[in-house]
Amino acid sequence: MIVATTNDLTGHRIVRHIGMVRGVTVRSRNAISDAIGGVQSMLGGRVGVYVKLAETARQEAYDDLVAHARDMGANAVLAMRYDANEIMPGVTEVLAYGTAVVVEPA
């Protein structure tokens, strides 16, 4: 599966537009992460436990996006984006979305 943030794909021709695809996950922090994150934030700099949480959530949403596109018959996703919203304190939704297409080499 080719996934690009651009609206077109250099060296390829779009032969079919399938439509919007998405992957979504909802992740929450836990007490241990909050304790470690609190200590790290007092020291300043990168808060590694939250970086890991964010990366895990993005990867889950991305994997779901690719699966959704594949299930619809696509071999590429264009204009891929991420979005995130806090549902409640400590609970975040991460959405990956884009346009599923079928491409072939130009």
Side-chain angles (χ1 to χ4, degrees):
M1 180 71 60
I2 301 169
V3 179
T5 58
T6 56
N7 294 327
D8 54 9
L9 196 56
T10 303
H12 291 79
R13 174 169 63 96
I14 298 171
V15 295
R16 191 169 117 223
H17 283 85
I18 295 173
M20 185 191 299
V21 289
R22 85 292 172 264
V24 64
T25 190
V26 176
R27 302 288 295 196
S28 66
R29 299 185 316 239
N30 62 48
I32 295 170
S33 293
D34 279 347
I36 294 169
V39 170
Q40 287 179 333
S41 68
M42 286 188 288
L43 301 173
R46 183 181 172 101
V47 183
V49 293
Y50 293 144
V51 170
K52 186 174 189 305
L53 178 66
E55 285 299 324
T56 299
R58 286 186 189 104
Q59 188 64 54
E60 284 179 6
Y62 178 87
D63 292 345
D64 288 349
L65 166 78
V66 170
H68 187 204
R70 188 173 287 118
D71 290 347
M72 293 182 71
N75 66 354
V77 176
L78 301 180
M80 185 271 182
R81 303 285 187 270
Y82 286 107
D83 193 14
N85 298 294
E86 188 174 52
I87 294 174
M88 59 185 284
V91 179
T92 302
E93 167 204 39
V94 176
L95 172 68
Y97 63 95
T99 303
V101 295
V102 175
V103 298
E104 62 184 29

Coordinates of all heavy atoms in Angstrom, one line a residue:
M1 N 0.9 -1.2 0.0 CA 0.0 0.0 0.0 C 0.9 1.2 0.0 O 1.8 1.4 0.9 CB -0.9 0.0 1.2 CG -1.8 1.1 1.4 SD -3.2 1.2 0.2 CE -4.0 -0.4 0.6
I2 N 0.7 2.1 -1.0 CA 1.4 3.4 -1.0 C 0.5 4.4 -0.3 O -0.7 4.5 -0.5 CB 1.6 3.8 -2.5 CG1 2.4 2.8 -3.3 CG2 2.2 5.2 -2.5 CD1 2.4 3.1 -4.8
V3 N 1.1 5.1 0.7 CA 0.4 6.1 1.4 C 1.2 7.4 1.3 O 2.4 7.4 1.6 CB 0.3 5.8 2.9 CG1 -0.5 6.9 3.7 CG2 -0.5 4.4 3.0
A4 N 0.6 8.5 0.8 CA 1.3 9.8 0.6 C 0.4 10.9 1.2 O -0.8 10.8 1.2 CB 1.5 10.0 -0.9
T5 N 1.1 11.9 1.6 CA 0.4 13.1 2.1 C 0.0 14.1 0.9 O -0.7 15.0 1.1 CB 1.2 13.9 3.2 OG1 2.4 14.2 2.6 CG2 1.4 13.0 4.4
T6 N 0.6 13.8 -0.2 CA 0.3 14.6 -1.4 C -1.0 14.2 -2.1 O -1.6 13.2 -1.8 CB 1.5 14.5 -2.4 OG1 1.6 13.1 -2.7 CG2 2.8 15.0 -1.8
N7 N -1.5 15.1 -3.0 CA -2.7 14.9 -3.7 C -2.6 14.0 -4.9 O -3.5 13.6 -5.5 CB -3.4 16.2 -4.0 CG -3.9 16.9 -2.8 OD1 -4.3 16.3 -1.8 ND2 -3.9 18.2 -2.9
D8 N -1.3 13.8 -5.3 CA -1.0 13.0 -6.5 C 0.2 12.2 -6.2 O 0.8 12.3 -5.1 CB -0.8 13.8 -7.8 CG 0.2 14.9 -7.6 OD1 0.9 14.9 -6.6 OD2 0.3 15.7 -8.5
L9 N 0.6 11.3 -7.0 CA 1.7 10.4 -6.8 C 2.6 10.4 -8.0 O 2.2 9.9 -9.1 CB 1.2 9.0 -6.5 CG 2.1 8.0 -5.9 CD1 2.7 8.5 -4.5 CD2 1.4 6.7 -5.6
T10 N 3.7 11.1 -7.9 CA 4.7 11.2 -9.0 C 5.0 9.8 -9.6 O 5.3 8.9 -8.8 CB 5.9 11.9 -8.6 OG1 5.6 13.2 -8.1 CG2 6.9 12.1 -9.7
G11 N 5.0 9.7 -10.9 CA 5.3 8.4 -11.5 C 4.1 7.4 -11.6 O 4.3 6.3 -12.1
H12 N 3.0 7.8 -11.1 CA 1.8 7.0 -11.1 C 0.6 7.7 -11.7 O 0.5 9.0 -11.6 CB 1.4 6.5 -9.7 CG 2.4 5.5 -9.2 ND1 3.6 5.9 -8.6 CD2 2.4 4.2 -9.1 CE1 4.3 4.9 -8.2 NE2 3.6 3.8 -8.5
R13 N -0.3 7.0 -12.2 CA -1.6 7.6 -12.7 C -2.7 7.0 -11.9 O -2.8 5.8 -11.7 CB -1.7 7.2 -14.2 CG -2.9 7.5 -14.9 CD -2.7 7.3 -16.4 NE -2.4 5.9 -16.8 CZ -3.3 5.1 -17.2 NH1 -4.6 5.4 -17.3 NH2 -3.0 3.8 -17.5
I14 N -3.6 7.8 -11.5 CA -4.8 7.4 -10.8 C -5.8 6.8 -11.8 O -6.2 7.5 -12.7 CB -5.5 8.5 -10.0 CG1 -4.5 9.1 -8.9 CG2 -6.8 8.0 -9.3 CD1 -5.0 10.3 -8.3
V15 N -6.2 5.5 -11.6 CA -7.1 4.9 -12.6 C -8.5 4.7 -11.9 O -9.5 4.5 -12.7 CB -6.6 3.5 -13.1 CG1 -5.3 3.7 -13.9 CG2 -6.3 2.6 -11.9
R16 N -8.6 4.9 -10.6 CA -9.9 4.8 -10.0 C -9.9 5.5 -8.6 O -9.0 5.3 -7.8 CB -10.3 3.3 -9.8 CG -11.7 3.2 -9.4 CD -12.2 1.7 -9.5 NE -12.5 1.3 -8.2 CZ -12.2 0.1 -7.6 NH1 -11.5 -0.7 -8.3 NH2 -12.5 -0.2 -6.4
H17 N -10.8 6.4 -8.4 CA -11.0 7.0 -7.1 C -12.0 6.1 -6.3 O -13.1 5.8 -6.8 CB -11.6 8.4 -7.2 CG -10.6 9.4 -7.6 ND1 -10.2 9.6 -8.9 CD2 -9.8 10.2 -6.8 CE1 -9.3 10.6 -8.9 NE2 -9.0 10.9 -7.6
I18 N -11.7 5.7 -5.1 CA -12.6 4.9 -4.3 C -13.3 5.7 -3.3 O -14.5 5.6 -3.1 CB -11.8 3.7 -3.7 CG1 -11.3 2.8 -4.7 CG2 -12.7 3.0 -2.7 CD1 -10.4 1.7 -4.2
G19 N -12.6 6.6 -2.7 CA -13.3 7.5 -1.7 C -12.5 7.6 -0.4 O -11.4 7.1 -0.3
M20 N -13.1 8.3 0.6 CA -12.5 8.5 1.8 C -12.3 7.2 2.6 O -13.2 6.4 2.7 CB -13.2 9.5 2.7 CG -12.4 9.8 4.0 SD -13.3 10.7 5.2 CE -13.7 12.2 4.4
V21 N -11.2 7.0 3.3 CA -10.9 5.9 4.2 C -10.4 6.5 5.5 O -9.8 7.6 5.5 CB -9.9 4.9 3.6 CG1 -10.6 4.1 2.5 CG2 -8.7 5.5 3.1
R22 N -10.6 5.8 6.5 CA -10.1 6.3 7.8 C -9.7 5.1 8.7 O -10.1 4.0 8.5 CB -11.2 7.1 8.5 CG -12.2 6.5 9.3 CD -13.2 5.7 8.5 NE -14.2 4.9 9.1 CZ -14.0 3.6 9.3 NH1 -12.9 3.0 9.1 NH2 -15.0 2.8 9.8
G23 N -8.9 5.5 9.7 CA -8.6 4.6 10.8 C -8.7 5.4 12.1 O -8.2 6.5 12.1
V24 N -9.2 4.8 13.1 CA -9.4 5.6 14.3 C -9.1 4.7 15.5 O -9.3 3.5 15.5 CB -10.9 6.1 14.4 CG1 -11.9 5.0 14.5 CG2 -11.0 7.1 15.6
T25 N -8.5 5.3 16.5 CA -8.2 4.6 17.8 C -8.5 5.6 18.9 O -8.4 6.8 18.7 CB -6.8 4.0 17.8 OG1 -6.7 3.2 19.0 CG2 -5.7 5.1 17.9
V26 N -8.8 5.1 20.0 CA -9.0 5.9 21.2 C -8.0 5.3 22.3 O -8.1 4.1 22.6 CB -10.4 5.9 21.7 CG1 -10.6 6.7 23.0 CG2 -11.3 6.5 20.6
R27 N -7.2 6.1 22.8 CA -6.2 5.7 23.8 C -6.3 6.5 25.1 O -6.7 7.7 25.0 CB -4.8 5.9 23.3 CG -4.5 5.1 22.0 CD -4.4 3.7 22.1 NE -3.2 3.4 23.0 CZ -2.7 2.2 23.1 NH1 -3.1 1.2 22.4 NH2 -1.6 2.0 23.9
S28 N -6.0 5.9 26.2 CA -6.0 6.6 27.5 C -4.7 6.5 28.1 O -3.9 5.5 27.9 CB -7.1 6.1 28.4 OG -6.8 4.8 28.8
R29 N -4.4 7.5 28.9 CA -3.2 7.4 29.8 C -3.5 6.5 30.9 O -4.6 6.2 31.2 CB -2.8 8.8 30.3 CG -2.5 9.8 29.2 CD -2.0 11.1 29.8 NE -2.8 11.6 30.9 CZ -3.4 12.7 30.9 NH1 -3.4 13.5 29.9 NH2 -4.1 13.1 32.0
N30 N -2.4 6.0 31.6 CA -2.7 5.2 32.8 C -1.9 5.8 34.0 O -1.1 6.7 33.8 CB -2.3 3.7 32.6 CG -0.8 3.5 32.3 OD1 0.0 4.1 33.0 ND2 -0.5 2.7 31.3
A31 N -2.2 5.4 35.2 CA -1.6 6.0 36.4 C -0.1 5.9 36.4 O 0.6 6.9 36.8 CB -2.2 5.3 37.6
I32 N 0.5 4.8 35.9 CA 1.9 4.7 35.9 C 2.5 5.7 34.9 O 3.5 6.4 35.2 CB 2.4 3.2 35.5 CG1 1.9 2.3 36.7 CG2 3.9 3.2 35.3 CD1 2.0 0.8 36.3
S33 N 1.9 5.8 33.7 CA 2.4 6.8 32.7 C 2.3 8.2 33.2 O 3.2 9.0 33.0 CB 1.6 6.7 31.4 OG 1.9 5.4 30.8
D34 N 1.2 8.5 33.9 CA 1.0 9.8 34.5 C 2.1 10.1 35.5 O 2.6 11.2 35.6 CB -0.4 10.0 35.1 CG -1.4 10.3 34.0 OD1 -1.1 10.6 32.9 OD2 -2.6 10.2 34.3
A35 N 2.4 9.2 36.4 CA 3.4 9.4 37.4 C 4.8 9.6 36.8 O 5.5 10.6 37.1 CB 3.5 8.2 38.3
I36 N 5.2 8.8 35.8 CA 6.5 8.9 35.1 C 6.5 10.2 34.3 O 7.4 11.0 34.4 CB 6.8 7.7 34.2 CG1 6.9 6.5 35.1 CG2 8.0 8.0 33.4 CD1 7.0 5.2 34.3
G37 N 5.4 10.5 33.6 CA 5.3 11.7 32.8 C 5.3 13.0 33.7 O 6.0 14.0 33.3
G38 N 4.7 12.9 34.9 CA 4.8 14.0 35.8 C 6.2 14.3 36.3 O 6.7 15.5 36.3
V39 N 7.0 13.3 36.6 CA 8.4 13.5 37.0 C 9.2 14.0 35.8 O 10.0 15.0 35.9 CB 9.0 12.1 37.5 CG1 10.5 12.3 37.7 CG2 8.3 11.7 38.8
Q40 N 9.0 13.4 34.6 CA 9.7 13.9 33.4 C 9.4 15.3 33.1 O 10.3 16.1 32.7 CB 9.4 13.0 32.2 CG 10.1 11.6 32.3 CD 9.8 10.7 31.1 OE1 8.7 10.9 30.5 NE2 10.7 9.8 30.8
S41 N 8.2 15.7 33.2 CA 7.8 17.1 32.9 C 8.4 18.1 33.9 O 8.7 19.2 33.5 CB 6.3 17.2 32.8 OG 5.7 17.1 34.1
M42 N 8.6 17.7 35.2 CA 9.2 18.6 36.1 C 10.7 18.8 35.8 O 11.2 19.8 36.1 CB 9.1 18.0 37.5 CG 7.7 18.1 38.1 SD 7.6 17.7 39.8 CE 7.8 15.9 39.8
L43 N 11.3 17.8 35.2 CA 12.7 17.9 34.8 C 12.9 18.7 33.5 O 14.0 19.1 33.2 CB 13.3 16.5 34.7 CG 13.3 15.7 36.0 CD1 13.8 14.3 35.7 CD2 14.1 16.3 37.1
G44 N 11.8 18.8 32.7 CA 11.9 19.5 31.4 C 12.3 18.6 30.3 O 12.8 17.5 30.5
G45 N 12.1 19.0 29.1 CA 12.5 18.3 27.9 C 11.4 17.3 27.5 O 10.2 17.4 27.8
R46 N 11.9 16.3 26.8 CA 11.0 15.3 26.2 C 10.4 14.4 27.2 O 11.0 13.9 28.1 CB 11.9 14.4 25.2 CG 11.2 13.4 24.5 CD 12.2 12.6 23.6 NE 11.6 11.5 23.0 CZ 11.3 11.4 21.7 NH1 11.4 12.5 20.9 NH2 10.8 10.3 21.2
V47 N 9.1 14.2 27.1 CA 8.3 13.4 28.0 C 8.1 12.0 27.3 O 7.1 11.8 26.6 CB 7.0 14.0 28.5 CG1 6.3 13.2 29.5 CG2 7.3 15.4 29.1
G48 N 9.0 11.1 27.4 CA 9.1 9.9 26.7 C 7.9 9.0 26.8 O 7.4 8.4 25.8
V49 N 7.3 8.9 28.0 CA 6.1 8.0 28.1 C 4.9 8.5 27.3 O 4.2 7.7 26.7 CB 5.7 7.8 29.6 CG1 6.7 7.0 30.3 CG2 5.3 9.1 30.2
Y50 N 4.8 9.8 27.1 CA 3.7 10.4 26.3 C 4.0 10.3 24.9 O 3.1 10.2 24.0 CB 3.4 11.8 26.8 CG 2.8 11.9 28.2 CD1 3.0 12.9 29.0 CD2 1.9 10.9 28.6 CE1 2.5 13.0 30.3 CE2 1.4 10.9 29.9 CZ 1.7 12.0 30.7 OH 1.1 12.1 32.0
V51 N 5.3 10.5 24.5 CA 5.7 10.3 23.1 C 5.3 8.9 22.7 O 4.8 8.7 21.6 CB 7.2 10.6 22.9 CG1 7.6 10.2 21.5 CG2 7.5 12.0 23.2
K52 N 5.7 7.9 23.5 CA 5.4 6.5 23.2 C 3.9 6.3 23.0 O 3.4 5.6 22.1 CB 5.9 5.6 24.2 CG 5.8 4.1 23.9 CD 6.5 3.2 25.0 CE 6.6 1.8 24.7 NZ 5.4 1.1 24.3
L53 N 3.1 6.9 23.9 CA 1.6 6.8 23.8 C 1.1 7.4 22.5 O 0.3 6.8 21.8 CB 1.0 7.4 25.0 CG -0.6 7.5 25.1 CD1 -1.1 6.0 25.3 CD2 -1.0 8.3 26.2
A54 N 1.6 8.5 22.2 CA 1.2 9.2 21.0 C 1.6 8.4 19.7 O 0.8 8.3 18.8 CB 1.8 10.6 20.9
E55 N 2.8 7.9 19.7 CA 3.2 7.1 18.6 C 2.5 5.8 18.4 O 2.1 5.4 17.3 CB 4.7 6.8 18.7 CG 5.6 8.0 18.3 CD 5.4 8.6 16.9 OE1 5.2 7.8 16.0 OE2 5.5 9.8 16.8
T56 N 2.1 5.2 19.5 CA 1.3 4.0 19.5 C -0.1 4.3 18.9 O -0.6 3.5 18.1 CB 1.2 3.3 20.9 OG1 2.5 3.0 21.3 CG2 0.4 2.1 20.9
A57 N -0.7 5.3 19.3 CA -2.0 5.7 18.9 C -2.0 6.0 17.4 O -2.8 5.6 16.6 CB -2.5 6.9 19.7
R58 N -1.0 6.8 16.9 CA -0.8 7.1 15.5 C -0.6 5.8 14.7 O -1.2 5.7 13.6 CB 0.3 8.1 15.3 CG -0.1 9.5 15.7 CD 1.0 10.5 15.3 NE 0.8 11.7 16.0 CZ 1.4 12.2 17.0 NH1 2.4 11.5 17.6 NH2 1.1 13.3 17.6
Q59 N 0.2 4.9 15.2 CA 0.4 3.7 14.4 C -0.8 2.8 14.3 O -1.1 2.3 13.2 CB 1.6 2.9 15.0 CG 2.0 1.7 14.2 CD 2.6 2.1 12.9 OE1 3.5 2.9 12.8 NE2 2.1 1.6 11.8
E60 N -1.6 2.7 15.4 CA -2.8 2.0 15.3 C -3.8 2.6 14.3 O -4.4 1.9 13.5 CB -3.5 2.0 16.7 CG -2.9 1.0 17.7 CD -3.5 1.0 19.1 OE1 -4.6 1.7 19.2 OE2 -3.0 0.4 20.0
A61 N -4.0 3.9 14.4 CA -4.9 4.6 13.4 C -4.4 4.4 12.0 O -5.2 4.1 11.1 CB -5.0 6.1 13.8
Y62 N -3.1 4.5 11.8 CA -2.5 4.3 10.4 C -2.8 2.9 9.9 O -3.2 2.7 8.8 CB -1.0 4.6 10.5 CG -0.3 4.4 9.2 CD1 -0.2 5.4 8.2 CD2 0.3 3.1 8.9 CE1 0.4 5.2 7.0 CE2 0.9 2.9 7.7 CZ 1.0 3.9 6.7 OH 1.6 3.7 5.5
D63 N -2.5 1.9 10.8 CA -2.7 0.5 10.4 C -4.2 0.2 10.1 O -4.5 -0.5 9.1 CB -2.3 -0.5 11.5 CG -0.8 -0.5 11.7 OD1 0.0 0.0 10.9 OD2 -0.4 -1.0 12.8
D64 N -5.1 0.8 10.8 CA -6.5 0.7 10.5 C -6.9 1.4 9.2 O -7.7 0.9 8.4 CB -7.4 1.3 11.6 CG -7.4 0.5 12.9 OD1 -6.9 -0.7 12.8 OD2 -7.9 0.9 13.9
L65 N -6.3 2.5 8.9 CA -6.5 3.2 7.6 C -6.1 2.3 6.5 O -6.8 2.2 5.5 CB -5.7 4.5 7.6 CG -5.5 5.2 6.3 CD1 -6.7 6.0 5.9 CD2 -4.3 6.1 6.3
V66 N -4.9 1.8 6.5 CA -4.4 0.9 5.5 C -5.3 -0.3 5.3 O -5.6 -0.7 4.2 CB -2.9 0.5 5.8 CG1 -2.5 -0.6 4.8 CG2 -2.0 1.7 5.7
A67 N -5.7 -0.9 6.4 CA -6.6 -2.1 6.3 C -8.0 -1.7 5.6 O -8.5 -2.4 4.8 CB -6.9 -2.6 7.7
H68 N -8.5 -0.5 6.0 CA -9.8 0.0 5.4 C -9.6 0.2 3.9 O -10.4 -0.2 3.1 CB -10.2 1.3 6.1 CG -11.5 1.8 5.7 ND1 -11.9 3.1 5.9 CD2 -12.6 1.1 5.2 CE1 -13.1 3.2 5.5 NE2 -13.6 2.1 5.1
A69 N -8.5 0.8 3.5 CA -8.2 1.1 2.1 C -8.1 -0.3 1.3 O -8.7 -0.5 0.2 CB -7.0 1.9 1.9
R70 N -7.3 -1.2 1.9 CA -7.1 -2.5 1.3 C -8.5 -3.2 1.1 O -8.8 -3.8 0.1 CB -6.2 -3.3 2.1 CG -5.8 -4.6 1.4 CD -4.7 -5.4 2.2 NE -3.4 -4.6 2.0 CZ -2.7 -4.1 3.0 NH1 -3.1 -4.2 4.3 NH2 -1.5 -3.5 2.8
D71 N -9.3 -3.2 2.2 CA -10.6 -3.8 2.1 C -11.5 -3.2 1.0 O -12.4 -3.9 0.5 CB -11.3 -3.7 3.5 CG -10.7 -4.6 4.5 OD1 -9.9 -5.5 4.2 OD2 -11.1 -4.4 5.7
M72 N -11.3 -2.0 0.7 CA -12.1 -1.3 -0.3 C -11.5 -1.5 -1.7 O -12.1 -1.0 -2.7 CB -12.3 0.2 0.0 CG -13.1 0.4 1.2 SD -13.3 2.1 1.6 CE -14.5 2.6 0.3
G73 N -10.4 -2.2 -1.8 CA -9.8 -2.5 -3.1 C -8.7 -1.5 -3.6 O -8.3 -1.5 -4.8
A74 N -8.3 -0.6 -2.7 CA -7.3 0.4 -3.1 C -5.9 -0.2 -3.0 O -5.6 -1.1 -2.3 CB -7.4 1.6 -2.1
N75 N -5.0 0.4 -3.8 CA -3.6 0.1 -3.6 C -2.7 1.4 -3.2 O -1.5 1.3 -3.1 CB -3.0 -0.5 -4.9 CG -2.9 0.4 -6.1 OD1 -3.4 1.5 -6.0 ND2 -2.4 -0.1 -7.2
A76 N -3.5 2.5 -2.9 CA -2.8 3.7 -2.5 C -3.8 4.6 -1.7 O -5.0 4.5 -1.9 CB -2.2 4.5 -3.7
V77 N -3.3 5.4 -0.8 CA -4.1 6.4 -0.1 C -3.3 7.7 -0.3 O -2.1 7.9 -0.1 CB -4.2 6.1 1.4 CG1 -4.9 7.2 2.1 CG2 -4.9 4.8 1.6
L78 N -4.1 8.7 -0.8 CA -3.5 10.0 -1.1 C -4.1 11.0 -0.1 O -5.1 10.8 0.5 CB -3.8 10.5 -2.5 CG -3.3 9.6 -3.6 CD1 -3.7 10.1 -5.0 CD2 -1.8 9.4 -3.5
A79 N -3.4 12.2 0.1 CA -3.8 13.2 1.0 C -4.0 12.7 2.4 O -5.0 13.2 3.1 CB -5.1 13.9 0.4
M80 N -3.2 11.8 2.8 CA -3.3 11.3 4.2 C -3.0 12.3 5.2 O -2.1 13.1 5.1 CB -2.4 10.1 4.3 CG -2.5 9.3 5.6 SD -1.4 10.0 6.9 CE -1.8 8.9 8.2
R81 N -3.8 12.3 6.3 CA -3.7 13.3 7.4 C -4.0 12.6 8.7 O -4.7 11.6 8.7 CB -4.6 14.5 7.2 CG -4.5 15.2 6.0 CD -3.3 16.1 6.0 NE -3.3 17.0 4.8 CZ -2.7 16.7 3.7 NH1 -2.1 15.6 3.5 NH2 -2.7 17.6 2.7
Y82 N -3.5 13.2 9.8 CA -3.8 12.8 11.1 C -4.6 13.9 11.8 O -4.4 15.1 11.5 CB -2.6 12.6 12.0 CG -1.8 11.3 11.7 CD1 -0.6 11.4 11.1 CD2 -2.3 10.1 12.1 CE1 0.1 10.2 10.8 CE2 -1.5 8.9 11.9 CZ -0.3 9.0 11.2 OH 0.4 7.9 11.0
D83 N -5.5 13.5 12.7 CA -6.2 14.5 13.5 C -6.3 13.8 14.9 O -6.4 12.6 15.0 CB -7.6 14.8 13.0 CG -8.3 16.0 13.6 OD1 -7.6 16.7 14.3 OD2 -9.5 16.1 13.4
A84 N -6.4 14.6 15.9 CA -6.5 14.1 17.3 C -7.4 15.0 18.1 O -7.4 16.3 17.9 CB -5.2 14.0 18.0
N85 N -8.3 14.4 18.9 CA -9.2 15.2 19.8 C -9.2 14.5 21.2 O -9.2 13.3 21.3 CB -10.6 15.1 19.2 CG -10.7 15.7 17.9 OD1 -10.5 16.9 17.7 ND2 -11.0 14.9 16.8
E86 N -9.3 15.4 22.2 CA -9.4 14.9 23.5 C -10.9 14.6 23.8 O -11.7 15.6 23.7 CB -8.8 15.8 24.5 CG -8.8 15.3 25.9 CD -8.0 16.2 26.9 OE1 -8.4 17.4 27.0 OE2 -7.1 15.7 27.6
I87 N -11.2 13.4 24.0 CA -12.6 13.0 24.3 C -13.0 13.4 25.7 O -14.1 13.9 26.0 CB -12.9 11.5 24.1 CG1 -12.7 11.2 22.6 CG2 -14.2 11.1 24.5 CD1 -12.7 9.8 22.2
M88 N -12.1 13.1 26.7 CA -12.3 13.5 28.1 C -10.8 13.6 28.6 O -9.9 13.1 27.9 CB -13.1 12.5 28.8 CG -12.6 11.1 28.8 SD -13.8 9.9 29.6 CE -13.5 10.3 31.3
P89 N -10.6 14.2 29.8 CA -9.3 14.3 30.3 C -8.5 12.9 30.3 O -9.1 11.9 30.9 CB -9.4 14.8 31.7 CG -10.7 15.6 31.6 CD -11.6 14.8 30.7
G90 N -7.4 12.8 29.6 CA -6.6 11.6 29.6 C -7.0 10.6 28.5 O -6.4 9.6 28.4
V91 N -8.1 10.9 27.8 CA -8.6 10.0 26.7 C -8.6 10.8 25.4 O -9.3 11.8 25.2 CB -10.0 9.5 27.0 CG1 -10.5 8.6 25.9 CG2 -10.0 8.7 28.3
T92 N -7.8 10.2 24.4 CA -7.6 10.9 23.1 C -8.0 10.0 22.0 O -7.6 8.9 22.0 CB -6.2 11.4 23.0 OG1 -5.8 12.2 24.1 CG2 -6.0 12.1 21.7
E93 N -8.7 10.6 21.0 CA -9.0 9.9 19.8 C -8.0 10.4 18.8 O -7.7 11.5 18.6 CB -10.4 10.3 19.3 CG -10.7 9.9 17.9 CD -11.8 10.8 17.2 OE1 -11.8 12.0 17.4 OE2 -12.5 10.2 16.4
V94 N -7.4 9.4 18.0 CA -6.5 9.7 16.9 C -7.1 9.2 15.7 O -7.5 8.0 15.6 CB -5.1 9.1 17.2 CG1 -4.2 9.4 16.0 CG2 -4.5 9.7 18.4
L95 N -7.3 10.0 14.7 CA -7.9 9.7 13.4 C -6.8 9.8 12.3 O -6.1 10.8 12.2 CB -9.0 10.6 13.1 CG -9.7 10.5 11.7 CD1 -10.4 9.2 11.5 CD2 -10.7 11.7 11.6
A96 N -6.7 8.8 11.4 CA -5.9 8.9 10.2 C -6.9 8.8 9.1 O -7.8 7.9 9.1 CB -4.9 7.7 10.2
Y97 N -6.8 9.7 8.1 CA -7.8 9.7 7.0 C -7.1 10.1 5.7 O -6.0 10.7 5.7 CB -9.0 10.5 7.3 CG -8.7 12.0 7.5 CD1 -8.8 12.9 6.4 CD2 -8.2 12.5 8.7 CE1 -8.5 14.2 6.5 CE2 -7.9 13.9 8.8 CZ -8.1 14.7 7.8 OH -7.8 16.0 7.9
G98 N -7.7 9.7 4.6 CA -7.2 10.1 3.3 C -8.1 9.6 2.2 O -9.2 9.1 2.5
T99 N -7.7 9.7 1.0 CA -8.5 9.3 -0.2 C -7.9 8.0 -0.8 O -6.8 7.9 -1.2 CB -8.5 10.4 -1.3 OG1 -9.0 11.6 -0.7 CG2 -9.4 9.9 -2.5
A100 N -8.8 6.9 -0.8 CA -8.3 5.6 -1.3 C -8.4 5.7 -2.9 O -9.5 6.2 -3.4 CB -9.2 4.5 -0.8
V101 N -7.4 5.2 -3.5 CA -7.4 5.2 -5.0 C -6.7 3.9 -5.5 O -6.0 3.2 -4.7 CB -6.6 6.4 -5.6 CG1 -7.3 7.7 -5.2 CG2 -5.2 6.5 -5.1
V102 N -6.9 3.7 -6.7 CA -6.1 2.6 -7.4 C -5.2 3.4 -8.4 O -5.6 4.2 -9.2 CB -7.0 1.6 -8.2 CG1 -6.2 0.6 -9.0 CG2 -7.9 0.9 -7.2
V103 N -3.9 3.1 -8.3 CA -2.9 3.7 -9.2 C -2.2 2.6 -9.9 O -2.1 1.5 -9.6 CB -1.9 4.6 -8.4 CG1 -2.6 5.7 -7.7 CG2 -1.1 3.7 -7.4
E104 N -1.6 3.1 -11.0 CA -0.7 2.2 -11.8 C 0.5 3.1 -12.3 O 0.3 4.3 -12.4 CB -1.4 1.6 -13.0 CG -2.0 2.5 -14.0 CD -2.7 1.7 -15.1 OE1 -3.3 0.7 -14.8 OE2 -2.8 2.3 -16.2
P105 N 1.6 2.5 -12.5 CA 2.8 3.3 -13.0 C 2.4 4.0 -14.3 O 1.7 3.5 -15.2 CB 3.9 2.2 -13.3 CG 3.5 1.1 -12.4 CD 2.0 1.1 -12.4
A106 N 2.9 5.3 -14.4 CA 2.6 6.1 -15.6 C 3.5 5.7 -16.7 O 4.5 5.1 -16.6 CB 2.9 7.6 -15.2

